[in-house]
Amino acid sequence: MPPRVPAVAVAALRGHVERFLRAHGVAAETTRADAEVDVVDLGGMLLAGLRHVRLAHPWLGRGGAIVEPPEPEPPGLLPAVARALPGQDAPLTPEACIAALRRAWPFMIDDAPCGRRSAPPGVYPYMSFETDDALTRDDLADRVFGVVAEDGWLAEPGRRDAVLAAVVPANAEPIGFEALGDERARALACHLLAGRHEAAAAFVRLLGADTRCFGLRGQEGEGDDRFAHGHAWSCYDAAGYGSWGRTLVLVATDGLRVAYLEALWDVSSE
């Protein structure tokens, strides 16, 4: 039997798809051939968005208990979604994208009542970012992601911390981020990019004019050697084994995509 998805969750997914397409310059009548959208990025966004909205709108039973946790995705779903997208001459609309998702993984849209709760962001690798000679793709390998989260998450510190922490490397301690002005962000980027000033300038504007930069709260010290302190981190598994050390992290985001730079040192494990 195909999985059930609440109608309100599908409506929320449509909103996320609409924002994604609009951010990539796709208008109502833009065909897939004319849309400057990478199909892997779009497929990843659709799947991450579906995961997010299903967690945000769970089926509930007596006492508010979740009675139908979301099913795991079948293997090979991302290429299946890419193949199911409309043809090159067809408009790339939110409805067409959701229809492609349903062709790749059929699910029922159910109008029955459901719950509403805060859900972790949907996160997926984002591939079609622009670089130049100063900042290469190798500098950002596996460090640029798309995120699907409730609109306005950048404006609320608690929600912002949750989204950014879902992207940067795992840390067992609570992580808080603070906004960095252009000068501080460039200085930290330059430090993390081995003194390459042009690369640092490119990173803090990686995602266009709406790029905002954040760093881990308290990771900077004072004076000329202010980056020597870093943030103390630690990670442990269920058996008690773990590792720890110090890190510096710089995040750039426009609300739909998140990129980061990091440095690790004094790393130990047991």
Side-chain angles (χ1 to χ4, degrees), residues 209-235:
D210 293 331
T211 304
R212 296 179 61 188
C213 291
F214 299 86
L216 293 178
R217 189 173 295 113
Q219 68 180 357
E220 292 185 34
E222 300 291 338
D224 295 336
D225 203 20
R226 64 184 185 275
F227 299 128
H229 177 263
H231 170 74
W233 60 271
S234 60
C235 288

mmCIF file with all atom_site columns, all heavy atoms in Angstrom, residues 209-235:
data_model
loop_
_atom_site.group_PDB
_atom_site.id
_atom_site.type_symbol
_atom_site.label_atom_id
_atom_site.label_alt_id
_atom_site.label_comp_id
_atom_site.label_asym_id
_atom_site.label_entity_id
_atom_site.label_seq_id
_atom_site.pdbx_PDB_ins_code
_atom_site.Cartn_x
_atom_site.Cartn_y
_atom_site.Cartn_z
_atom_site.occupancy
_atom_site.B_iso_or_equiv
_atom_site.pdbx_formal_charge
_atom_site.auth_seq_id
_atom_site.auth_comp_id
_atom_site.auth_asym_id
_atom_site.auth_atom_id
_atom_site.pdbx_PDB_model_num
ATOM 1   N N   . ALA A 1 209 ? 23.811 38.465 -3.330 1.00 0.00 ? 209 ALA A N   1
ATOM 2   C CA  . ALA A 1 209 ? 23.680 39.653 -2.498 1.00 0.00 ? 209 ALA A CA  1
ATOM 3   C C   . ALA A 1 209 ? 22.992 39.369 -1.162 1.00 0.00 ? 209 ALA A C   1
ATOM 4   O O   . ALA A 1 209 ? 23.148 40.132 -0.207 1.00 0.00 ? 209 ALA A O   1
ATOM 5   C CB  . ALA A 1 209 ? 22.909 40.732 -3.257 1.00 0.00 ? 209 ALA A CB  1
ATOM 6   N N   . ASP A 1 210 ? 22.215 38.292 -1.082 1.00 0.00 ? 210 ASP A N   1
ATOM 7   C CA  . ASP A 1 210 ? 21.500 37.967 0.161  1.00 0.00 ? 210 ASP A CA  1
ATOM 8   C C   . ASP A 1 210 ? 22.320 37.109 1.116  1.00 0.00 ? 210 ASP A C   1
ATOM 9   O O   . ASP A 1 210 ? 21.802 36.673 2.150  1.00 0.00 ? 210 ASP A O   1
ATOM 10  C CB  . ASP A 1 210 ? 20.195 37.236 -0.166 1.00 0.00 ? 210 ASP A CB  1
ATOM 11  C CG  . ASP A 1 210 ? 19.194 38.126 -0.883 1.00 0.00 ? 210 ASP A CG  1
ATOM 12  O OD1 . ASP A 1 210 ? 19.227 39.348 -0.654 1.00 0.00 ? 210 ASP A OD1 1
ATOM 13  O OD2 . ASP A 1 210 ? 18.385 37.604 -1.672 1.00 0.00 ? 210 ASP A OD2 1
ATOM 14  N N   . THR A 1 211 ? 23.590 36.858 0.798  1.00 0.00 ? 211 THR A N   1
ATOM 15  C CA  . THR A 1 211 ? 24.420 36.016 1.659  1.00 0.00 ? 211 THR A CA  1
ATOM 16  C C   . THR A 1 211 ? 24.622 36.667 3.021  1.00 0.00 ? 211 THR A C   1
ATOM 17  O O   . THR A 1 211 ? 24.955 37.848 3.114  1.00 0.00 ? 211 THR A O   1
ATOM 18  C CB  . THR A 1 211 ? 25.803 35.769 1.013  1.00 0.00 ? 211 THR A CB  1
ATOM 19  O OG1 . THR A 1 211 ? 25.627 35.206 -0.285 1.00 0.00 ? 211 THR A OG1 1
ATOM 20  C CG2 . THR A 1 211 ? 26.629 34.821 1.866  1.00 0.00 ? 211 THR A CG2 1
ATOM 21  N N   . ARG A 1 212 ? 24.404 35.879 4.071  1.00 0.00 ? 212 ARG A N   1
ATOM 22  C CA  . ARG A 1 212 ? 24.706 36.306 5.436  1.00 0.00 ? 212 ARG A CA  1
ATOM 23  C C   . ARG A 1 212 ? 25.676 35.302 6.047  1.00 0.00 ? 212 ARG A C   1
ATOM 24  O O   . ARG A 1 212 ? 25.618 34.105 5.739  1.00 0.00 ? 212 ARG A O   1
ATOM 25  C CB  . ARG A 1 212 ? 23.429 36.380 6.274  1.00 0.00 ? 212 ARG A CB  1
ATOM 26  C CG  . ARG A 1 212 ? 22.428 37.417 5.795  1.00 0.00 ? 212 ARG A CG  1
ATOM 27  C CD  . ARG A 1 212 ? 21.190 37.420 6.662  1.00 0.00 ? 212 ARG A CD  1
ATOM 28  N NE  . ARG A 1 212 ? 21.507 37.745 8.059  1.00 0.00 ? 212 ARG A NE  1
ATOM 29  C CZ  . ARG A 1 212 ? 20.637 37.665 9.066  1.00 0.00 ? 212 ARG A CZ  1
ATOM 30  N NH1 . ARG A 1 212 ? 19.393 37.254 8.818  1.00 0.00 ? 212 ARG A NH1 1
ATOM 31  N NH2 . ARG A 1 212 ? 20.995 37.963 10.296 1.00 0.00 ? 212 ARG A NH2 1
ATOM 32  N N   . CYS A 1 213 ? 26.571 35.796 6.902  1.00 0.00 ? 213 CYS A N   1
ATOM 33  C CA  . CYS A 1 213 ? 27.612 34.933 7.471  1.00 0.00 ? 213 CYS A CA  1
ATOM 34  C C   . CYS A 1 213 ? 27.453 34.816 8.982  1.00 0.00 ? 213 CYS A C   1
ATOM 35  O O   . CYS A 1 213 ? 27.071 35.780 9.663  1.00 0.00 ? 213 CYS A O   1
ATOM 36  C CB  . CYS A 1 213 ? 29.007 35.486 7.134  1.00 0.00 ? 213 CYS A CB  1
ATOM 37  S SG  . CYS A 1 213 ? 29.419 35.356 5.376  1.00 0.00 ? 213 CYS A SG  1
ATOM 38  N N   . PHE A 1 214 ? 27.769 33.621 9.489  1.00 0.00 ? 214 PHE A N   1
ATOM 39  C CA  . PHE A 1 214 ? 27.660 33.321 10.916 1.00 0.00 ? 214 PHE A CA  1
ATOM 40  C C   . PHE A 1 214 ? 28.867 32.499 11.347 1.00 0.00 ? 214 PHE A C   1
ATOM 41  O O   . PHE A 1 214 ? 29.439 31.730 10.566 1.00 0.00 ? 214 PHE A O   1
ATOM 42  C CB  . PHE A 1 214 ? 26.378 32.526 11.203 1.00 0.00 ? 214 PHE A CB  1
ATOM 43  C CG  . PHE A 1 214 ? 25.114 33.246 10.832 1.00 0.00 ? 214 PHE A CG  1
ATOM 44  C CD1 . PHE A 1 214 ? 24.610 33.172 9.536  1.00 0.00 ? 214 PHE A CD1 1
ATOM 45  C CD2 . PHE A 1 214 ? 24.442 34.007 11.772 1.00 0.00 ? 214 PHE A CD2 1
ATOM 46  C CE1 . PHE A 1 214 ? 23.454 33.844 9.191  1.00 0.00 ? 214 PHE A CE1 1
ATOM 47  C CE2 . PHE A 1 214 ? 23.279 34.684 11.422 1.00 0.00 ? 214 PHE A CE2 1
ATOM 48  C CZ  . PHE A 1 214 ? 22.783 34.604 10.132 1.00 0.00 ? 214 PHE A CZ  1
ATOM 49  N N   . GLY A 1 215 ? 29.238 32.662 12.604 1.00 0.00 ? 215 GLY A N   1
ATOM 50  C CA  . GLY A 1 215 ? 30.295 31.855 13.197 1.00 0.00 ? 215 GLY A CA  1
ATOM 51  C C   . GLY A 1 215 ? 29.826 31.287 14.519 1.00 0.00 ? 215 GLY A C   1
ATOM 52  O O   . GLY A 1 215 ? 28.838 31.753 15.105 1.00 0.00 ? 215 GLY A O   1
ATOM 53  N N   . LEU A 1 216 ? 30.516 30.256 15.001 1.00 0.00 ? 216 LEU A N   1
ATOM 54  C CA  . LEU A 1 216 ? 30.184 29.702 16.306 1.00 0.00 ? 216 LEU A CA  1
ATOM 55  C C   . LEU A 1 216 ? 30.405 30.753 17.386 1.00 0.00 ? 216 LEU A C   1
ATOM 56  O O   . LEU A 1 216 ? 31.440 31.427 17.417 1.00 0.00 ? 216 LEU A O   1
ATOM 57  C CB  . LEU A 1 216 ? 31.054 28.472 16.597 1.00 0.00 ? 216 LEU A CB  1
ATOM 58  C CG  . LEU A 1 216 ? 30.804 27.250 15.721 1.00 0.00 ? 216 LEU A CG  1
ATOM 59  C CD1 . LEU A 1 216 ? 31.783 26.146 16.097 1.00 0.00 ? 216 LEU A CD1 1
ATOM 60  C CD2 . LEU A 1 216 ? 29.380 26.748 15.864 1.00 0.00 ? 216 LEU A CD2 1
ATOM 61  N N   . ARG A 1 217 ? 29.447 30.874 18.268 1.00 0.00 ? 217 ARG A N   1
ATOM 62  C CA  . ARG A 1 217 ? 29.532 31.874 19.329 1.00 0.00 ? 217 ARG A CA  1
ATOM 63  C C   . ARG A 1 217 ? 30.702 31.554 20.262 1.00 0.00 ? 217 ARG A C   1
ATOM 64  O O   . ARG A 1 217 ? 30.853 30.429 20.738 1.00 0.00 ? 217 ARG A O   1
ATOM 65  C CB  . ARG A 1 217 ? 28.221 31.912 20.115 1.00 0.00 ? 217 ARG A CB  1
ATOM 66  C CG  . ARG A 1 217 ? 28.113 33.052 21.112 1.00 0.00 ? 217 ARG A CG  1
ATOM 67  C CD  . ARG A 1 217 ? 26.741 33.114 21.721 1.00 0.00 ? 217 ARG A CD  1
ATOM 68  N NE  . ARG A 1 217 ? 25.714 33.450 20.727 1.00 0.00 ? 217 ARG A NE  1
ATOM 69  C CZ  . ARG A 1 217 ? 24.770 32.621 20.328 1.00 0.00 ? 217 ARG A CZ  1
ATOM 70  N NH1 . ARG A 1 217 ? 24.707 31.402 20.828 1.00 0.00 ? 217 ARG A NH1 1
ATOM 71  N NH2 . ARG A 1 217 ? 23.889 33.002 19.425 1.00 0.00 ? 217 ARG A NH2 1
ATOM 72  N N   . GLY A 1 218 ? 31.536 32.553 20.491 1.00 0.00 ? 218 GLY A N   1
ATOM 73  C CA  . GLY A 1 218 ? 32.647 32.395 21.424 1.00 0.00 ? 218 GLY A CA  1
ATOM 74  C C   . GLY A 1 218 ? 33.894 31.753 20.849 1.00 0.00 ? 218 GLY A C   1
ATOM 75  O O   . GLY A 1 218 ? 34.846 31.498 21.592 1.00 0.00 ? 218 GLY A O   1
ATOM 76  N N   . GLN A 1 219 ? 33.938 31.499 19.540 1.00 0.00 ? 219 GLN A N   1
ATOM 77  C CA  . GLN A 1 219 ? 35.110 30.819 18.987 1.00 0.00 ? 219 GLN A CA  1
ATOM 78  C C   . GLN A 1 219 ? 36.303 31.763 18.773 1.00 0.00 ? 219 GLN A C   1
ATOM 79  O O   . GLN A 1 219 ? 37.433 31.306 18.633 1.00 0.00 ? 219 GLN A O   1
ATOM 80  C CB  . GLN A 1 219 ? 34.757 30.137 17.667 1.00 0.00 ? 219 GLN A CB  1
ATOM 81  C CG  . GLN A 1 219 ? 34.450 31.076 16.513 1.00 0.00 ? 219 GLN A CG  1
ATOM 82  C CD  . GLN A 1 219 ? 34.118 30.332 15.227 1.00 0.00 ? 219 GLN A CD  1
ATOM 83  O OE1 . GLN A 1 219 ? 34.167 29.109 15.157 1.00 0.00 ? 219 GLN A OE1 1
ATOM 84  N NE2 . GLN A 1 219 ? 33.776 31.075 14.185 1.00 0.00 ? 219 GLN A NE2 1
ATOM 85  N N   . GLU A 1 220 ? 36.042 33.068 18.739 1.00 0.00 ? 220 GLU A N   1
ATOM 86  C CA  . GLU A 1 220 ? 37.124 34.027 18.531 1.00 0.00 ? 220 GLU A CA  1
ATOM 87  C C   . GLU A 1 220 ? 37.616 34.581 19.860 1.00 0.00 ? 220 GLU A C   1
ATOM 88  O O   . GLU A 1 220 ? 36.830 34.847 20.770 1.00 0.00 ? 220 GLU A O   1
ATOM 89  C CB  . GLU A 1 220 ? 36.658 35.194 17.652 1.00 0.00 ? 220 GLU A CB  1
ATOM 90  C CG  . GLU A 1 220 ? 36.361 34.821 16.215 1.00 0.00 ? 220 GLU A CG  1
ATOM 91  C CD  . GLU A 1 220 ? 36.027 36.038 15.385 1.00 0.00 ? 220 GLU A CD  1
ATOM 92  O OE1 . GLU A 1 220 ? 36.608 37.115 15.647 1.00 0.00 ? 220 GLU A OE1 1
ATOM 93  O OE2 . GLU A 1 220 ? 35.182 35.923 14.486 1.00 0.00 ? 220 GLU A OE2 1
ATOM 94  N N   . GLY A 1 221 ? 38.931 34.774 19.941 1.00 0.00 ? 221 GLY A N   1
ATOM 95  C CA  . GLY A 1 221 ? 39.528 35.404 21.095 1.00 0.00 ? 221 GLY A CA  1
ATOM 96  C C   . GLY A 1 221 ? 39.777 36.887 20.842 1.00 0.00 ? 221 GLY A C   1
ATOM 97  O O   . GLY A 1 221 ? 39.082 37.526 20.056 1.00 0.00 ? 221 GLY A O   1
ATOM 98  N N   . GLU A 1 222 ? 40.792 37.435 21.492 1.00 0.00 ? 222 GLU A N   1
ATOM 99  C CA  . GLU A 1 222 ? 41.125 38.842 21.358 1.00 0.00 ? 222 GLU A CA  1
ATOM 100 C C   . GLU A 1 222 ? 42.503 38.983 20.716 1.00 0.00 ? 222 GLU A C   1
ATOM 101 O O   . GLU A 1 222 ? 43.313 38.068 20.716 1.00 0.00 ? 222 GLU A O   1
ATOM 102 C CB  . GLU A 1 222 ? 41.130 39.522 22.738 1.00 0.00 ? 222 GLU A CB  1
ATOM 103 C CG  . GLU A 1 222 ? 39.811 39.454 23.481 1.00 0.00 ? 222 GLU A CG  1
ATOM 104 C CD  . GLU A 1 222 ? 38.738 40.306 22.833 1.00 0.00 ? 222 GLU A CD  1
ATOM 105 O OE1 . GLU A 1 222 ? 39.111 41.239 22.091 1.00 0.00 ? 222 GLU A OE1 1
ATOM 106 O OE2 . GLU A 1 222 ? 37.545 40.031 23.060 1.00 0.00 ? 222 GLU A OE2 1
ATOM 107 N N   . GLY A 1 223 ? 42.735 40.177 20.156 1.00 0.00 ? 223 GLY A N   1
ATOM 108 C CA  . GLY A 1 223 ? 44.059 40.507 19.648 1.00 0.00 ? 223 GLY A CA  1
ATOM 109 C C   . GLY A 1 223 ? 44.355 39.918 18.280 1.00 0.00 ? 223 GLY A C   1
ATOM 110 O O   . GLY A 1 223 ? 43.482 39.389 17.588 1.00 0.00 ? 223 GLY A O   1
ATOM 111 N N   . ASP A 1 224 ? 45.648 39.997 17.919 1.00 0.00 ? 224 ASP A N   1
ATOM 112 C CA  . ASP A 1 224 ? 46.066 39.553 16.593 1.00 0.00 ? 224 ASP A CA  1
ATOM 113 C C   . ASP A 1 224 ? 45.916 38.050 16.402 1.00 0.00 ? 224 ASP A C   1
ATOM 114 O O   . ASP A 1 224 ? 45.796 37.576 15.276 1.00 0.00 ? 224 ASP A O   1
ATOM 115 C CB  . ASP A 1 224 ? 47.529 39.960 16.350 1.00 0.00 ? 224 ASP A CB  1
ATOM 116 C CG  . ASP A 1 224 ? 47.705 41.472 16.300 1.00 0.00 ? 224 ASP A CG  1
ATOM 117 O OD1 . ASP A 1 224 ? 46.704 42.162 16.002 1.00 0.00 ? 224 ASP A OD1 1
ATOM 118 O OD2 . ASP A 1 224 ? 48.816 41.948 16.570 1.00 0.00 ? 224 ASP A OD2 1
ATOM 119 N N   . ASP A 1 225 ? 45.957 37.303 17.501 1.00 0.00 ? 225 ASP A N   1
ATOM 120 C CA  . ASP A 1 225 ? 45.865 35.841 17.412 1.00 0.00 ? 225 ASP A CA  1
ATOM 121 C C   . ASP A 1 225 ? 44.477 35.360 17.837 1.00 0.00 ? 225 ASP A C   1
ATOM 122 O O   . ASP A 1 225 ? 44.340 34.334 18.494 1.00 0.00 ? 225 ASP A O   1
ATOM 123 C CB  . ASP A 1 225 ? 46.954 35.214 18.304 1.00 0.00 ? 225 ASP A CB  1
ATOM 124 C CG  . ASP A 1 225 ? 47.289 33.798 17.865 1.00 0.00 ? 225 ASP A CG  1
ATOM 125 O OD1 . ASP A 1 225 ? 46.984 33.454 16.702 1.00 0.00 ? 225 ASP A OD1 1
ATOM 126 O OD2 . ASP A 1 225 ? 47.834 33.041 18.677 1.00 0.00 ? 225 ASP A OD2 1
ATOM 127 N N   . ARG A 1 226 ? 43.454 36.102 17.430 1.00 0.00 ? 226 ARG A N   1
ATOM 128 C CA  . ARG A 1 226 ? 42.118 35.830 17.951 1.00 0.00 ? 226 ARG A CA  1
ATOM 129 C C   . ARG A 1 226 ? 41.523 34.516 17.460 1.00 0.00 ? 226 ARG A C   1
ATOM 130 O O   . ARG A 1 226 ? 40.542 34.024 18.026 1.00 0.00 ? 226 ARG A O   1
ATOM 131 C CB  . ARG A 1 226 ? 41.171 36.971 17.608 1.00 0.00 ? 226 ARG A CB  1
ATOM 132 C CG  . ARG A 1 226 ? 40.903 37.182 16.118 1.00 0.00 ? 226 ARG A CG  1
ATOM 133 C CD  . ARG A 1 226 ? 40.023 38.424 15.958 1.00 0.00 ? 226 ARG A CD  1
ATOM 134 N NE  . ARG A 1 226 ? 39.585 38.679 14.597 1.00 0.00 ? 226 ARG A NE  1
ATOM 135 C CZ  . ARG A 1 226 ? 40.278 39.338 13.692 1.00 0.00 ? 226 ARG A CZ  1
ATOM 136 N NH1 . ARG A 1 226 ? 41.498 39.786 14.025 1.00 0.00 ? 226 ARG A NH1 1
ATOM 137 N NH2 . ARG A 1 226 ? 39.806 39.548 12.486 1.00 0.00 ? 226 ARG A NH2 1
ATOM 138 N N   . PHE A 1 227 ? 42.097 33.932 16.405 1.00 0.00 ? 227 PHE A N   1
ATOM 139 C CA  . PHE A 1 227 ? 41.568 32.668 15.908 1.00 0.00 ? 227 PHE A CA  1
ATOM 140 C C   . PHE A 1 227 ? 42.267 31.451 16.507 1.00 0.00 ? 227 PHE A C   1
ATOM 141 O O   . PHE A 1 227 ? 41.975 30.321 16.121 1.00 0.00 ? 227 PHE A O   1
ATOM 142 C CB  . PHE A 1 227 ? 41.678 32.621 14.384 1.00 0.00 ? 227 PHE A CB  1
ATOM 143 C CG  . PHE A 1 227 ? 40.902 33.706 13.686 1.00 0.00 ? 227 PHE A CG  1
ATOM 144 C CD1 . PHE A 1 227 ? 41.511 34.522 12.757 1.00 0.00 ? 227 PHE A CD1 1
ATOM 145 C CD2 . PHE A 1 227 ? 39.563 33.918 13.986 1.00 0.00 ? 227 PHE A CD2 1
ATOM 146 C CE1 . PHE A 1 227 ? 40.806 35.520 12.118 1.00 0.00 ? 227 PHE A CE1 1
ATOM 147 C CE2 . PHE A 1 227 ? 38.847 34.924 13.356 1.00 0.00 ? 227 PHE A CE2 1
ATOM 148 C CZ  . PHE A 1 227 ? 39.476 35.731 12.415 1.00 0.00 ? 227 PHE A CZ  1
ATOM 149 N N   . ALA A 1 228 ? 43.175 31.664 17.445 1.00 0.00 ? 228 ALA A N   1
ATOM 150 C CA  . ALA A 1 228 ? 43.915 30.539 18.027 1.00 0.00 ? 228 ALA A CA  1
ATOM 151 C C   . ALA A 1 228 ? 43.083 29.779 19.055 1.00 0.00 ? 228 ALA A C   1
ATOM 152 O O   . ALA A 1 228 ? 43.373 28.620 19.360 1.00 0.00 ? 228 ALA A O   1
ATOM 153 C CB  . ALA A 1 228 ? 45.207 31.042 18.676 1.00 0.00 ? 228 ALA A CB  1
ATOM 154 N N   . HIS A 1 229 ? 42.048 30.414 19.603 1.00 0.00 ? 229 HIS A N   1
ATOM 155 C CA  . HIS A 1 229 ? 41.269 29.781 20.673 1.00 0.00 ? 229 HIS A CA  1
ATOM 156 C C   . HIS A 1 229 ? 40.313 28.727 20.115 1.00 0.00 ? 229 HIS A C   1
ATOM 157 O O   . HIS A 1 229 ? 40.353 27.559 20.488 1.00 0.00 ? 229 HIS A O   1
ATOM 158 C CB  . HIS A 1 229 ? 40.501 30.850 21.454 1.00 0.00 ? 229 HIS A CB  1
ATOM 159 C CG  . HIS A 1 229 ? 39.623 30.300 22.525 1.00 0.00 ? 229 HIS A CG  1
ATOM 160 N ND1 . HIS A 1 229 ? 38.275 30.073 22.343 1.00 0.00 ? 229 HIS A ND1 1
ATOM 161 C CD2 . HIS A 1 229 ? 39.900 29.916 23.789 1.00 0.00 ? 229 HIS A CD2 1
ATOM 162 C CE1 . HIS A 1 229 ? 37.761 29.576 23.455 1.00 0.00 ? 229 HIS A CE1 1
ATOM 163 N NE2 . HIS A 1 229 ? 38.717 29.478 24.345 1.00 0.00 ? 229 HIS A NE2 1
ATOM 164 N N   . GLY A 1 230 ? 39.444 29.128 19.216 1.00 0.00 ? 230 GLY A N   1
ATOM 165 C CA  . GLY A 1 230 ? 38.495 28.199 18.618 1.00 0.00 ? 230 GLY A CA  1
ATOM 166 C C   . GLY A 1 230 ? 37.402 27.764 19.584 1.00 0.00 ? 230 GLY A C   1
ATOM 167 O O   . GLY A 1 230 ? 37.292 28.234 20.715 1.00 0.00 ? 230 GLY A O   1
ATOM 168 N N   . HIS A 1 231 ? 36.587 26.828 19.109 1.00 0.00 ? 231 HIS A N   1
ATOM 169 C CA  . HIS A 1 231 ? 35.479 26.272 19.890 1.00 0.00 ? 231 HIS A CA  1
ATOM 170 C C   . HIS A 1 231 ? 35.830 24.843 20.293 1.00 0.00 ? 231 HIS A C   1
ATOM 171 O O   . HIS A 1 231 ? 36.242 24.038 19.462 1.00 0.00 ? 231 HIS A O   1
ATOM 172 C CB  . HIS A 1 231 ? 34.215 26.281 19.033 1.00 0.00 ? 231 HIS A CB  1
ATOM 173 C CG  . HIS A 1 231 ? 33.069 25.513 19.636 1.00 0.00 ? 231 HIS A CG  1
ATOM 174 N ND1 . HIS A 1 231 ? 32.334 25.983 20.694 1.00 0.00 ? 231 HIS A ND1 1
ATOM 175 C CD2 . HIS A 1 231 ? 32.539 24.301 19.318 1.00 0.00 ? 231 HIS A CD2 1
ATOM 176 C CE1 . HIS A 1 231 ? 31.395 25.105 21.006 1.00 0.00 ? 231 HIS A CE1 1
ATOM 177 N NE2 . HIS A 1 231 ? 31.492 24.073 20.187 1.00 0.00 ? 231 HIS A NE2 1
ATOM 178 N N   . ALA A 1 232 ? 35.684 24.540 21.580 1.00 0.00 ? 232 ALA A N   1
ATOM 179 C CA  . ALA A 1 232 ? 35.941 23.180 22.059 1.00 0.00 ? 232 ALA A CA  1
ATOM 180 C C   . ALA A 1 232 ? 34.754 22.290 21.726 1.00 0.00 ? 232 ALA A C   1
ATOM 181 O O   . ALA A 1 232 ? 33.616 22.605 22.075 1.00 0.00 ? 232 ALA A O   1
ATOM 182 C CB  . ALA A 1 232 ? 36.192 23.193 23.559 1.00 0.00 ? 232 ALA A CB  1
ATOM 183 N N   . TRP A 1 233 ? 35.002 21.183 21.032 1.00 0.00 ? 233 TRP A N   1
ATOM 184 C CA  . TRP A 1 233 ? 33.932 20.282 20.624 1.00 0.00 ? 233 TRP A CA  1
ATOM 185 C C   . TRP A 1 233 ? 34.227 18.871 21.121 1.00 0.00 ? 233 TRP A C   1
ATOM 186 O O   . TRP A 1 233 ? 35.369 18.514 21.430 1.00 0.00 ? 233 TRP A O   1
ATOM 187 C CB  . TRP A 1 233 ? 33.771 20.256 19.101 1.00 0.00 ? 233 TRP A CB  1
ATOM 188 C CG  . TRP A 1 233 ? 35.004 19.795 18.369 1.00 0.00 ? 233 TRP A CG  1
ATOM 189 C CD1 . TRP A 1 233 ? 36.038 20.568 17.940 1.00 0.00 ? 233 TRP A CD1 1
ATOM 190 C CD2 . TRP A 1 233 ? 35.340 18.443 18.020 1.00 0.00 ? 233 TRP A CD2 1
ATOM 191 N NE1 . TRP A 1 233 ? 36.994 19.795 17.337 1.00 0.00 ? 233 TRP A NE1 1
ATOM 192 C CE2 . TRP A 1 233 ? 36.589 18.484 17.367 1.00 0.00 ? 233 TRP A CE2 1
ATOM 193 C CE3 . TRP A 1 233 ? 34.700 17.218 18.183 1.00 0.00 ? 233 TRP A CE3 1
ATOM 194 C CZ2 . TRP A 1 233 ? 37.220 17.336 16.890 1.00 0.00 ? 233 TRP A CZ2 1
ATOM 195 C CZ3 . TRP A 1 233 ? 35.329 16.075 17.704 1.00 0.00 ? 233 TRP A CZ3 1
ATOM 196 C CH2 . TRP A 1 233 ? 36.576 16.149 17.065 1.00 0.00 ? 233 TRP A CH2 1
ATOM 197 N N   . SER A 1 234 ? 33.195 18.066 21.182 1.00 0.00 ? 234 SER A N   1
ATOM 198 C CA  . SER A 1 234 ? 33.342 16.665 21.561 1.00 0.00 ? 234 SER A CA  1
ATOM 199 C C   . SER A 1 234 ? 32.169 15.874 21.017 1.00 0.00 ? 234 SER A C   1
ATOM 200 O O   . SER A 1 234 ? 31.049 16.380 20.947 1.00 0.00 ? 234 SER A O   1
ATOM 201 C CB  . SER A 1 234 ? 33.411 16.506 23.090 1.00 0.00 ? 234 SER A CB  1
ATOM 202 O OG  . SER A 1 234 ? 32.231 17.013 23.703 1.00 0.00 ? 234 SER A OG  1
ATOM 203 N N   . CYS A 1 235 ? 32.435 14.650 20.602 1.00 0.00 ? 235 CYS A N   1
ATOM 204 C CA  . CYS A 1 235 ? 31.402 13.745 20.093 1.00 0.00 ? 235 CYS A CA  1
ATOM 205 C C   . CYS A 1 235 ? 31.625 12.369 20.695 1.00 0.00 ? 235 CYS A C   1
ATOM 206 O O   . CYS A 1 235 ? 32.759 11.871 20.695 1.00 0.00 ? 235 CYS A O   1
ATOM 207 C CB  . CYS A 1 235 ? 31.447 13.645 18.566 1.00 0.00 ? 235 CYS A CB  1
ATOM 208 S SG  . CYS A 1 235 ? 30.871 15.110 17.704 1.00 0.00 ? 235 CYS A SG  1
#
